[in-house]
Amino acid sequence: MHYFEYKDGELFAEDVSLAEIAEQVGTPFYCYSAATFRRHIKMFQQSFADRDALICYAMKANSNQAVLTLIAKLGAGVDVVSGGEMKRAILAGFPADKIVYSGVAKTHAEIEYGLEIGIHCFNAESEPELIRINEIAKAKGVKAPVSVRVNPDVDAGGHEKIMTGKAENKFGIPWKKIDKVYELIGTLAHLEVVGIDLHIGSQITDLEPFAEAFERVGTLVTSLRAAGHNIQHVDFGGGLGVPYKNDNDIPPHPDEYAAMINKVAGSLGVKYIFEPGRMIAANAGILVGKVEYVKHGDGRDFLISDVGMNDLIRPTLYDAYHDILPVKQATGVETQLVDVVGPVCETGDYTAKGRELPVFEQGELFAIMSAGAYGAVQAGTYNTRALVPEVLVDDDRFAVVRKRVEVDEIIALDDVPDWL
Ligand SMILES: *Cc1c(COP(=O)(O)O)cnc(C)c1O
């Protein structure tokens, strides 16, 4: 569900015309709908309203400060994967005790920072990391709250680049080794066990792999408690998918997800933590671009646009599908089979291949749908292209929430040594 809809033949974000934003901001630009973000967070919170549960939005999906501020105001927590994201969380107003910190390569400085601000817990991913956290906590004379990320070795399907819960992935500690690792924690005086966590992958549209993994974790909670560890929470991670293609691959409703979790973990007496990212952000954002040229190639037609893989890398990186809609609603029934490509000098620079679209003309605006997650956060300046701006719409207002970083500013970051 989202709030990007046609009104009188023109695509709107809530009550703001996208053509109007394009006029003022230029293209390409990301556009987010505040109402959609709010709806998704509230829907998830609602599904667990009768439980002790905390939604920790995985900010790596979309970490714009305006988006984070909006989410913090709804009482949610946040899942961070770097010191930089921890800073963002604090600046956006998330209470430190609602921050969970994941990631396989936490540095000394990042762990220190987490301890200083007093985060809810470190989601540790290896034994050497636990040893490092213990040393730093000892030097500071504090106890560090830790959870161990278990790798349940389940195949959640999906694209190989976003699969994380298989034994061969770099994430987490193999579930067969978990007892030993909690034993190790028991010997490290400056660690305090608070929970256990997992995250099996992303864009999962089937409840089965979740249920399989969570059942394993449920068993672990029971055995770890029997061994004397105080497991207060289970962090189920993120991973719930979104419908990128209309009417295809429909993910479960958060209510169904909640029912499954209550079934496998409801009797454990633990606090629930969740780390949804994509499910909150994907359909809350679009990327608006312009057709620069319509090129009729040899047996193939191209819509050449001003949206490059540097602005949205998902099609290239994950073979992702995004719906493409004209900003001015197509009136005719005629369609054309096209590749939608960008300006970057790479064969991989495309947003759609062999797509049946309404007939577009040079200069026309289009919207790449469901681009709110893993879009702007992965944008770059390859080919010395300006960094794409972000706009937030709320009802009938809009604001540029990250300005376009212009080419001159990018070039000015370089230094030419005077000995050249
Ligand atoms: C990426 C990530 C998430 C969010 O995943 P989504 O599929 O976007 O919900 C949650 N937890 C961890 C540890 C992650 O790395």
Side-chain angles (χ1 to χ4, degrees), residues 56-61 79-81 102-103 123 125 149 162 164 171 197-199 201-204 235-241 274-280 373-374:
C56 289
Y57 167 62
M59 79 153 77
K60 79 174 193 284
D79 170 54
V80 304
V81 293
S102 307
N123 289 347
E125 309 228 16
R149 174 163 177 183
I162 50 176
T164 59
F171 299 102
D197 63 283
L198 76 167
H199 172 69
S202 201
Q203 186 53 18
I204 301 166
D235 179 341
F236 298 94
L240 262 187
F274 300 98
E275 303 169 348
R278 187 188 307 274
M279 192 244 133
I280 305 298
Y374 306 108

Side-chain angles (χ1 to χ4, degrees), residues 74-202:
L74 300 172
V78 71
D79 170 54
V80 304
V81 293
S82 71
E85 287 196 349
M86 252 187 291
K87 280 199 177 138
R88 281 193 179 277
I90 294 296
L91 287 170
F94 287 98
D97 65 2
K98 286 186 180 173
I99 299 175
V100 297
Y101 180 13
S102 307
V104 294
K106 303 179 186 78
T107 66
H108 190 102
E110 288 174 321
I111 293 167
E112 262 188 342
Y113 181 55
L115 285 174
E116 273 156 26
I117 62 177
I119 61 171
H120 178 70
C121 81
F122 293 88
N123 289 347
E125 309 228 16
S126 68
E127 286 137 302
E129 182 192 332
L130 286 161
I131 291 166
R132 181 183 273 182
I133 297 173
N134 183 64
E135 276 166 10
I136 299 170
K138 185 177 174 188
K140 288 194 164 315
V142 296
K143 276 200 153 193
V146 295
S147 157
V148 174
R149 174 163 177 183
V150 48
N151 184 328
D153 193 21
V154 298
D155 189 349
H159 195 272
E160 63 164 325
K161 290 211 170 80
I162 50 176
M163 203 157 53
T164 59
K166 288 278 289 164
E168 72 252 33
N169 299 130
K170 71 177 177 183
F171 299 102
I173 288 178
W175 72 287
K176 287 178 188 145
K177 284 184 74 182
I178 286 287
D179 291 321
K180 278 222 153 50
V181 170
Y182 274 89
E183 238 172 72
L184 168 73
I185 295 176
T187 68
L188 300 171
H190 289 271
L191 298 185
E192 184 191 359
V193 172
V194 292
I196 186 162
D197 63 283
L198 76 167
H199 172 69
I200 60 171
S202 201

Side-chain angles (χ1 to χ4, degrees), residues 14 16 33 56 81 105 202 208 269 331 348 357 418:
E14 303 188 25
V16 180
S33 150
C56 289
V81 293
S202 201
E208 206 44 53
T331 44
L357 290 179
D418 54 15

